[in-house]
């Protein structure tokens, strides 16, 4: 770079001093808890921290979906303890105009079973008011008909239907 | 946070369920058992904590497969050696070990994660009604399939007093 000699003589000499050390320390401190070199060595910690921050950004958005999924599982469990499925409960509550959100429904299911039972009863009442009268075919399908094709392991069919004596 | 006054010592303990597999369809029973082993019937369920319970299934030797599955359903595994695909029909597997069919069914219905081994260890299968957990059992649950009475379960009085429908219809 001999062509720029005169500019070089005018620029003040700057040592980097502690600047780099402080920048690196900040990053390495953010990587505390990471495995071996990734929590100690700047080059590894830098990559580790970049990944960590990216995951944190996206997972903050995913957390909302994860929580809702957990609430739904808990609401399903509490609803089935009250004789309903999750789908029927939510449908019944929508019909009844009950806007309690899933977070609170799950919370009630876990800590206040009587309140959840009351909510389940509201849903059941709404559903009962909504169902159309059963046609004969639907009613017949509800009758438990014996299974005719159960085979026992030794090959003989399991007879479950009774024979009306002559 | 809402109050946990409704929680008792029993809320977080592992319960022991007893289920009779006699005349229960294998898949439907396995589905119900898998839910119990995961603890998904509890409103305190969380995936990071194993909230599952113990399940004791008796009479697995008398469980039922519908259709012609006893003759046609194949259980396959590969030994790792070339040409080592082993196939066994449900009937033969049942004769070898009457608990295997239900064990494989439940194993396949649990989520395939590190908890599966621990949950399967909480599943206790017995081919007959004898089991060694009588002191632990907290609840007995009915199976998912309705149990029908066979002809031998009816007393002779019930049989003779049954209304005579067939001959009446023939008069019409």
């Amino acid at each position: 770079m001999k062509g720029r000699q005169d500019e070089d003589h005018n620029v003040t000499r700057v040592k980097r001093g502690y600047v780099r050390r402080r920048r690196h320390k900040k990053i390495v401190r953010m990587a505390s808890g990471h495995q071996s070199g990734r929590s100690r060595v700047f080059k590894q910690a830098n990559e580790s921290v970049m990944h960590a921050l990216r995951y944190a950004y996206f997972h903050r958005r995913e957390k909302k979906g994860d929580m809702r999924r957990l609430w739904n599982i808990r609401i399903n469990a509490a609803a089935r303890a009250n004789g309903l499925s999750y789908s029927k409960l939510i449908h019944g509550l929508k019909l009844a105009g009950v806007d309690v959100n899933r977070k609170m429904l799950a919370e009630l299911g876990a800590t206040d079973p009587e309140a959840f039972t009351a909510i389940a009863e509201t849903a059941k009442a709404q559903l009962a008011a909504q169902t159309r009268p059963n046609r004969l075919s639907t009613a017949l399908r509800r009758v438990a008909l014996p299974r005719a094709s159960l085979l026992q392991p030794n090959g003989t069919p399991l007879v479950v239907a009774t024979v009306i004596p002559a | 946070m809402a109050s946990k006054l409704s929680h008792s010592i029993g809320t977080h303990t592992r319960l022991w369920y007893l289920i009779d597999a006699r005349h229960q369809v294998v898949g439907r029973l396995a589905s119900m058992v898998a839910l119990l082993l995961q603890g998904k019937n509890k409103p305190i369920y969380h995936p990071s904590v194993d909230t599952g319970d113990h399940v004791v299934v008796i009479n697995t030797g008398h469980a039922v497969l519908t259709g012609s599955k006893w003759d046609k359903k194949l259980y396959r595994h590969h030994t790792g050696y070339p040409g080592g695909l082993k196939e066994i029909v449900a009937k033969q597997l049942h004769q070898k070990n009457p608990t295997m069919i239900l064990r494989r069914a439940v194993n396949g219905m649990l989520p395939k994660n590190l908890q599966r081994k621990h949950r399967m260890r909480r599943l206790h299968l017995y081919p007959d009604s004898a089991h060694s957990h009588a002191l632990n059992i907290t609840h007995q649950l009915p199976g998912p399939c309705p149990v029908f009475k066979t002809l031998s379960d009816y007393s002779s009085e019930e049989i003779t007093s049954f209304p005579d429908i067939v001959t009446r219809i023939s008069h019409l």
Side-chain angles (χ1 to χ4, degrees), chain A residues 10 12 29-30 48 65 69-70 73-75 119 125-126 159:
Chain A
N10 292 339
T12 335
R29 190 174 330 135
M30 282 215 280
S48 200
R69 223 169 286 135
L70 178 64
I73 294 175
R74 291 185 170 183
I75 294 169
I119 291 176
Q126 274 299 314
V159 177

Side-chain angles (χ1 to χ4, degrees), chain B residues 150-161:
Chain B
T150 57
L151 191 59
S152 48
D153 292 335
Y154 285 97
S155 63
S156 48
E157 298 89 44
E158 284 175 296
I159 293 175
T160 47
S161 65

Side-chain angles (χ1 to χ4, degrees), chain B residues 57-62 126-131:
Chain B
V57 186
I58 55 174
N59 287 321
T60 56
H62 302 276
Y126 295 94
D128 296 313
S129 358
H131 67 95

Side-chain angles (χ1 to χ4, degrees), chain A residues 94-110:
Chain A
K94 251 194 224 324
L95 291 174
V98 174
D99 282 330
V100 179
N101 62 10
R102 284 161 172 79
K103 177 170 159 189
M104 285 301 122
L105 283 176
E107 191 69 34
L108 289 173

Side-chain angles (χ1 to χ4, degrees), chain A residues 68-86:
Chain A
R68 182 158 157 147
R69 223 169 286 135
L70 178 64
W71 298 329
N72 284 349
I73 294 175
R74 291 185 170 183
I75 294 169
N76 208 346
R80 280 167 204 268
N82 282 287
L84 271 181
S85 69
Y86 166 89

